[in-house]
Amino acid sequence: MSRGNTMLKEEKVFKDPVHRYIHVRDQLIWDLIGTKEFQRLRRVRQLGTTFLTFHGAEHTRFNHSLGVYEIMRRMIEVFKGRPHWNEEDRLLCLATALLHDIGHGPFSHSFEKVFDTDHESWTRAIIMGKTEVNAVLRRMGDEFPREVSEVIEKTHPNKLVVSMISSQIDADRMDYLQRDAFYTGVSYGHFDMERILRVMRPLDDQVVIKSTGMHAVEDYIMSRYQMYWQVYFHPVTRSAEVILNKILRRAKYLYLNGFTFKQFPMHLQPFFDGDISIADYLKLDEMIIFYYFQVWEEEQDEILADLCGRFLHRRLFQYVEFNQHFIMNEWAGLQERFKAIGVDPDYYLVIDFSSDLPYDFYRPGEEEERMPIHLLMNDRKLRELSRQSDVVEAISGKKRTDHKLYYPSDILHTPGQENEKREILEILSG
């Protein structure tokens, strides 16, 4: 392959249900899409266990990554020829948009909690390691993979480029909100992206929005707020995640304690041992995980078999909401009562917290500084969005958190030990 980038003789077009068409004109981008690391994303769902709540949510990280690339391409078209935009950054932006999620594993966030992995670290490892992706990127120069990685990690000196892929209004968020809304069938995540793109302007260190587009941005912020609480934090989805987490923890526990599996989990062994190579990581996808869940449903360990059956056949945990008073006064006793009826509370009684900050103003010095969205006023001065918008001010800086306790309701309604089970249900009902 020749070094550098060439334009394709004929533009490649992907039909897309969200953006209608995704256009590829650069040989570099086309070759990155064709790498085995990128193709693996076809086998990793975008929304993890959400398909058990919204049956249409079968879309993948592959779909989303192409969508983010397309939004980035359209942003660049708007920026072309404007002050502060350097056309030499075009391919860096496009490659970053395409590869920003390449390190995600199966059921990514649940998987990371159990095995202490981080998809951003694996994204860097895949981009910088001995991979097909790295070989394609290095055609642009030996430093190009490092630049792509730094943009994704938000450490690149070009803050404008970083903000295009990672900010409170970026190509990533604008795709996943619309795509997730489309595939789940909800109406919350829709907003006027075309309008937002038209009023975006590049500055030295960030993307800003012309003040005439403020109402479109308000709609975007509220769409994000609604999607988090109606889709991403849906209690049924969280129930499935709880069970998934417990399956992986149980399998890891059994492995580390010398349990003899009927089918040795060779794909997961490096994760159990904590010694994972790039090759090990890339072999794992959701098809592999589902295979092991089906095998483990027949295992002799009752807890592992039961949890796998629950996940595969959607026999999920019920939930109740609770507060800090409950934890202080009832938690220890509830655990003991579960043990008394022969149910292990470590796997069948689970506290889950969810929280979201839909929009935040600038808080310098905090662990995760969020650059606010700035409006470009008619006098060319910048004004922070929540200072201008009453709608955004109402939710700005306000973190919403809820607490749920998940448990297997079916076990509590089976014959035997009725008095103990009645006591548990009375505690759970508050």
Side-chain angles (χ1 to χ4, degrees):
M1 285 284 186
S2 59
R3 291 185 71 81
N5 177 58
T6 58
M7 305 307 288
L8 295 169
K9 292 180 180 178
E10 185 174 324
E11 178 184 81
K12 304 290 185 181
V13 177
F14 292 83
K15 281 284 289 181
D16 185 73
V18 177
H19 305 308
R20 294 194 66 232
Y21 294 100
I22 293 171
H23 304 266
V24 179
R25 296 162 185 158
D26 298 279
Q27 187 70 51
L28 176 78
I29 299 301
W30 184 246
D31 289 346
L32 285 171
I33 292 170
T35 60
K36 65 182 182 182
E37 295 89 13
F38 191 79
Q39 290 292 319
R40 167 185 159 275
L41 297 180
R42 292 181 184 270
R43 304 189 297 278
V44 178
R45 286 185 183 86
Q46 172 71 12
L47 289 183
T49 61
T50 302
F51 73 98
L52 291 168
T53 307
F54 299 93
H55 67 269
E58 297 280 356
H59 57 303
T60 65
R61 298 277 175 189
F62 182 91
N63 307 145
H64 167 62
S65 296
L66 285 178
V68 177
Y69 155 82
E70 176 61 18
I71 293 176
M72 181 68 80
R73 189 192 66 78
R74 295 182 191 181
M75 288 172 68
I76 291 169
E77 289 291 318
V78 173
F79 291 177
K80 189 180 294 184
R82 295 189 181 277
H84 307 290
W85 172 249
N86 184 349
E87 189 65 13
E88 291 181 3
D89 293 327
R90 185 181 72 88
L91 280 173
L92 175 61
C93 290
L94 294 178
T96 298
L98 190 71
L99 300 177
H100 77 286
D101 270 355
I102 202 162
H104 272 286
F107 302 109
S108 185
H109 299 297
S110 298
F111 199 84
E112 289 176 9
K113 290 177 184 176
V114 176
F115 297 112
D116 196 27
T117 60
D118 173 54
H119 68 269
E120 291 184 354
S121 297
W122 282 107
T123 293
R124 177 180 177 81
I126 292 165
I127 289 171
M128 299 298 294
K130 291 184 178 180
T131 60
E132 291 182 7
V133 161
N134 178 268
V136 173
L137 291 173
R138 281 195 294 108
R139 299 208 305 253
M140 298 303 300
D142 291 339
E143 292 300 306
F144 193 65
R146 179 185 57 77
E147 286 203 68
V148 170
S149 179
E150 287 179 351
V151 173
I152 294 172
E153 292 179 299
K154 301 185 280 290
T155 59
H156 195 279
N158 190 327
K159 299 306 178 187
L160 170 61
V161 171
V162 171
S163 73
M164 292 167 71
I165 191 65
S166 183
S167 64
Q168 294 197 70
I169 185 165
D170 57 34
D172 182 21
R173 294 187 188 201
M174 285 196 286
D175 182 80
Y176 75 63
L177 290 175
Q178 295 179 94
R179 189 168 301 279
D180 296 346
F182 177 87
Y183 281 99
T184 55
V186 303
S187 59
Y188 318 113
H190 300 292
F191 56 91
D192 192 350
M193 186 184 75
E194 296 302 323
R195 174 65 176 159
I196 291 175
L197 290 176
R198 284 201 303 272
V199 296
M200 279 185 158
R201 295 293 181 266
L203 287 187
D204 280 333
D205 60 350
Q206 63 178 304
V207 175
V208 298
I209 308 292
K210 285 179 64 179
S211 60
T212 53
M214 183 182 75
H215 298 300
V217 177
E218 287 177 335
D219 196 22
Y220 158 84
I221 296 289
M222 295 310 297
S223 293
R224 182 186 182 280
Y225 176 81
Q226 294 287 0
M227 283 294 289
Y228 267 78
W229 289 104
Q230 302 300 328
V231 176
Y232 303 139
F233 293 157
H234 194 289
V236 176
T237 300
R238 288 159 58 187
S239 178
E241 287 178 357
V242 162
I243 293 174
L244 173 67
N245 179 286
K246 294 302 181 182
I247 291 172
L248 296 173
R249 289 189 186 280
R250 183 63 177 178
K252 181 179 179 180
Y253 169 82
L254 292 172
Y255 171 83
L256 295 177
N257 284 274
F259 181 79
T260 302
F261 291 90
K262 292 180 180 179
Q263 175 74 49
F264 184 73
M266 53 181 264
H267 295 86
L268 289 163
Q269 183 180 12
F271 296 85
F272 293 154
D273 290 334
D275 184 17
I276 314 162
S277 68
I278 293 178
D280 293 330
Y281 191 82
L282 292 171
K283 285 177 184 174
L284 208 59
D285 56 42
E286 288 176 16
M287 293 181 180
I288 297 291
I289 295 295
F290 268 103
Y291 167 75
Y292 283 114
F293 285 6
Q294 288 188 342
V295 170
W296 290 343
E297 194 180 4
E298 305 297 326
E299 274 294 352
Q300 292 181 344
D301 182 77
E302 291 183 3
I303 292 176
L304 182 63
D306 177 67
L307 292 173
C308 286
R310 288 178 180 276
F311 189 83
L312 290 171
H313 310 304
R314 201 181 179 277
R315 297 197 301 268
L316 305 179
F317 291 169
Q318 293 295 315
Y319 69 91
V320 291
E321 297 189 8
F322 68 93
N323 54 33
Q324 204 62 34
H325 172 81
F326 178 91
I327 293 296
M328 293 173 62
N329 295 286
E330 305 288 358
W331 178 241
L334 193 58
Q335 287 181 305
E336 291 303 317
R337 284 177 168 83
F338 263 69
K339 291 176 183 177
I341 63 170
V343 178
D344 190 337
D346 288 343
Y347 295 96
Y348 290 94
L349 193 61
V350 184
I351 291 174
D352 182 65
F353 300 85
S354 291
S355 64
D356 178 50
L357 190 63
Y359 176 75
D360 202 12
F361 44 81
Y362 185 47
R363 300 170 187 264
E366 289 208 351
E367 184 177 343
E368 183 183 355
E369 292 183 1
R370 298 182 178 214
M371 278 299 292
I373 298 171
H374 281 111
L375 299 176
L376 182 63
M377 308 307 290
N378 291 334
D379 59 5
R380 308 303 294 173
K381 292 182 179 179
L382 297 182
R383 190 167 175 81
E384 193 267 313
L385 176 62
S386 67
R387 306 267 180 182
Q388 193 71 15
S389 164
D390 294 337
V391 172
V392 176
E393 183 190 23
I395 61 172
S396 180
K398 295 178 174 63
K399 179 177 270 191
R400 176 180 166 184
T401 303
D402 79 344
H403 311 80
K404 287 184 169 58
L405 178 66
Y406 287 88
Y407 65 97
S409 176
D410 55 304
I411 290 178
L412 300 179
H413 290 90
T414 54
Q417 298 175 296
E418 282 85 357
N419 291 335
E420 292 86 347
K421 291 176 181 177
R422 190 181 306 111
E423 289 179 0
I424 291 173
L425 288 169
E426 287 174 357
I427 294 172
L428 291 171
S429 64

